[in-house]
Amino acid sequence: MCIRDRLYKLKFQNARLKGRDDFIDVNNFSGIMKVKGHNIQVKGAECNLRVQKLFFPLKDLNIESNWRRDSMDVSRINASIFKGNVEGNIDISYGRSVSMDLHFKACSLKELASYYRMTDKSVQGNVFFDVLIDWKKEEDWTANAQGACYIRNGKFYRYPVFFQVFRFLDFEFPGEEREKKADILWSYKNGEFILENIEISDGAVDFFGEGVIKHDRKIDLTLTTELGRSKLLSLPLVGDITRDVSNEIIKQLITIKITGSLDNPQIKKESIERIPEKAIGYFINILKAISSPLTGNGKKEDNGSSANQE
């Protein structure tokens, strides 16, 4: 048997494995590693993985990889993270490039936000990520990335950005926040997260927009929200009458600009698209019809018809 085909079983406890150029750093690695020839297997391990500026606290880590003198192909990675799961693959060309294709499933928004110190407020929900990242080494390591983020059963309106938006729009903040969903398409380039499409909905207030989050947590976002329909539907009688009326009639679009930082957002109103005059007249007539039985002013004049009958 060739010595390189022998199976080596290595046990690690709180070990540190560091890659070239300080690009990859594995801290507190505990688990079993099996090496046979060019094949490396890791099962049930635990570690804190840093790749460039990204940090991943991994548990129950399982890896299947093959290495060569100048490259490594991690064909399968599976681990628990933020009470959810991550799986995917990593391709490494030593000193030249790294490519990661990862999929995060049902991670805890609360655990994720706490780990990355995004907020000290209570947030909830399940997060799903699809992430494709490419690093290339020229004079320095540069990264390009793209992906999608999906939040389900979320509660995050007490996060500083959204909390300030609610205050700015003079919304009465709900005592019990509705569960909502959010879909975000994003890319990363030159140290900036570009939010190409943002859609947030909870059935009462919807937001959609785009923007940029910079590496120093500075933000430049544009959000548009539809107002009017949810408030009208909550009114007695009016809600019953208008429930089936088109969204296009009962809406007001307000566009706001959010700058500053994630922790201290600054908000200003950009533009307002008001309800059409025809729609306003329509609702005035509805309100007259509702109020007439109460005020006694809704009786139609007969223009002398009773005299003619006599």
Side-chain angles (χ1 to χ4, degrees), residues 242-284:
T242 62
R243 198 170 303 279
D244 296 325
V245 177
S246 167
N247 276 321
E248 295 304 315
I249 295 178
I250 323 174
K251 78 177 180 184
Q252 181 181 24
L253 297 181
I254 293 183
T255 300
I256 55 178
K257 191 76 170 177
I258 308 172
T259 55
S261 68
L262 286 171
D263 305 303
N264 185 26
Q266 307 297 317
I267 301 173
K268 67 177 182 178
K269 193 176 297 183
E270 283 284 288
S271 62
I272 301 177
E273 180 185 325
R274 297 192 178 279
I275 301 174
E277 290 184 11
K278 184 167 63 176
I280 294 176
Y282 177 86
F283 285 111
I284 289 176

Side-chain angles (χ1 to χ4, degrees), residues 92-112:
I92 302 172
S93 294
Y94 300 141
R96 297 194 304 273
S97 66
V98 175
S99 178
M100 300 175 66
D101 184 6
L102 301 175
H103 306 275
F104 296 79
K105 300 179 181 179
C107 298
S108 165
L109 178 61
K110 183 176 181 179
E111 295 284 330
L112 185 149

Side-chain angles (χ1 to χ4, degrees), residues 199-216:
E199 295 183 9
I200 302 170
S201 174
D202 70 353
V205 181
D206 297 338
F207 291 96
F208 51 95
E210 60 187 11
V212 175
I213 301 177
K214 300 182 180 180
H215 69 280
D216 56 0

Side-chain angles (χ1 to χ4, degrees), residues 186-250:
W186 60 272
S187 60
Y188 178 86
K189 192 172 184 179
N190 298 327
E192 295 182 347
F193 280 99
I194 303 167
L195 307 182
E196 299 167 355
N197 186 61
I198 305 170
E199 295 183 9
I200 302 170
S201 174
D202 70 353
V205 181
D206 297 338
F207 291 96
F208 51 95
E210 60 187 11
V212 175
I213 301 177
K214 300 182 180 180
H215 69 280
D216 56 0
R217 299 173 67 86
K218 299 291 186 182
I219 56 176
D220 185 358
L221 305 175
T222 300
L223 285 181
T224 299
T225 181
E226 289 187 4
L227 306 180
R229 182 170 179 80
S230 59
K231 290 181 178 291
L232 284 168
L233 292 182
S234 66
L235 297 175
L237 297 180
V238 176
D240 294 335
I241 293 175
T242 62
R243 198 170 303 279
D244 296 325
V245 177
S246 167
N247 276 321
E248 295 304 315
I249 295 178
I250 323 174

Side-chain angles (χ1 to χ4, degrees), residues 28-303:
N28 300 322
F29 181 85
S30 298
I32 303 295
M33 180 184 295
K34 295 180 179 180
V35 181
K36 184 176 182 181
H38 294 291
N39 180 261
I40 299 176
Q41 292 184 1
V42 175
K43 291 188 176 181
E46 182 174 334
C47 70
N48 291 318
L49 170 65
R50 177 182 64 79
V51 183
Q52 191 72 341
K53 296 180 180 179
L54 297 178
F55 296 84
F56 304 99
L58 302 175
K59 296 181 179 180
D60 195 22
L61 172 64
N62 299 285
I63 290 177
E64 183 81 29
S65 67
N66 291 285
W67 64 274
R68 297 292 185 270
R69 185 172 63 180
D70 59 353
S71 67
M72 175 178 286
D73 170 25
V74 184
S75 58
R76 185 180 66 86
I77 179 172
N78 186 288
S80 297
I81 184 171
F82 304 129
K83 296 186 176 180
N85 179 264
V86 59
E87 59 184 27
N89 58 74
I90 304 174
D91 293 319
I92 302 172
S93 294
Y94 300 141
R96 297 194 304 273
S97 66
V98 175
S99 178
M100 300 175 66
D101 184 6
L102 301 175
H103 306 275
F104 296 79
K105 300 179 181 179
C107 298
S108 165
L109 178 61
K110 183 176 181 179
E111 295 284 330
L112 185 149
S114 175
Y115 182 81
Y116 291 116
R117 299 179 181 177
M118 294 168 58
T119 178
D120 58 354
K121 305 297 182 183
S122 177
V123 294
Q124 299 177 27
N126 295 320
V127 186
F128 300 79
F129 285 102
D130 294 320
V131 182
L132 180 61
I133 309 175
D134 288 309
W135 284 276
K136 289 187 178 180
K137 177 71 180 292
E138 295 174 353
E139 292 184 1
D140 199 359
W141 286 99
T142 58
N144 292 314
Q146 60 183 5
C149 171
Y150 309 97
I151 300 176
R152 296 295 181 264
N153 305 318
K155 293 185 178 182
F156 47 79
Y157 276 174
R158 295 188 184 277
Y159 189 68
V161 170
F162 289 106
F163 191 77
Q164 292 298 332
V165 167
F166 268 75
R167 289 184 60 187
F168 181 83
L169 295 176
D170 196 26
F171 284 179
E172 181 179 348
F173 198 88
E176 180 62 30
E177 186 182 345
R178 291 171 178 260
E179 290 186 347
K180 60 189 62 61
K181 67 176 185 178
D183 296 342
I184 302 172
L185 299 180
W186 60 272
S187 60
Y188 178 86
K189 192 172 184 179
N190 298 327
E192 295 182 347
F193 280 99
I194 303 167
L195 307 182
E196 299 167 355
N197 186 61
I198 305 170
E199 295 183 9
I200 302 170
S201 174
D202 70 353
V205 181
D206 297 338
F207 291 96
F208 51 95
E210 60 187 11
V212 175
I213 301 177
K214 300 182 180 180
H215 69 280
D216 56 0
R217 299 173 67 86
K218 299 291 186 182
I219 56 176
D220 185 358
L221 305 175
T222 300
L223 285 181
T224 299
T225 181
E226 289 187 4
L227 306 180
R229 182 170 179 80
S230 59
K231 290 181 178 291
L232 284 168
L233 292 182
S234 66
L235 297 175
L237 297 180
V238 176
D240 294 335
I241 293 175
T242 62
R243 198 170 303 279
D244 296 325
V245 177
S246 167
N247 276 321
E248 295 304 315
I249 295 178
I250 323 174
K251 78 177 180 184
Q252 181 181 24
L253 297 181
I254 293 183
T255 300
I256 55 178
K257 191 76 170 177
I258 308 172
T259 55
S261 68
L262 286 171
D263 305 303
N264 185 26
Q266 307 297 317
I267 301 173
K268 67 177 182 178
K269 193 176 297 183
E270 283 284 288
S271 62
I272 301 177
E273 180 185 325
R274 297 192 178 279
I275 301 174
E277 290 184 11
K278 184 167 63 176
I280 294 176
Y282 177 86
F283 285 111
I284 289 176
N285 291 334
I286 289 178
L287 293 174
K288 283 182 178 178
I290 294 172
S291 63
S292 59
L294 304 176
T295 61
N297 296 326
K299 185 177 180 181
K300 188 175 182 181
E301 295 182 4
D302 356 26
N303 296 324

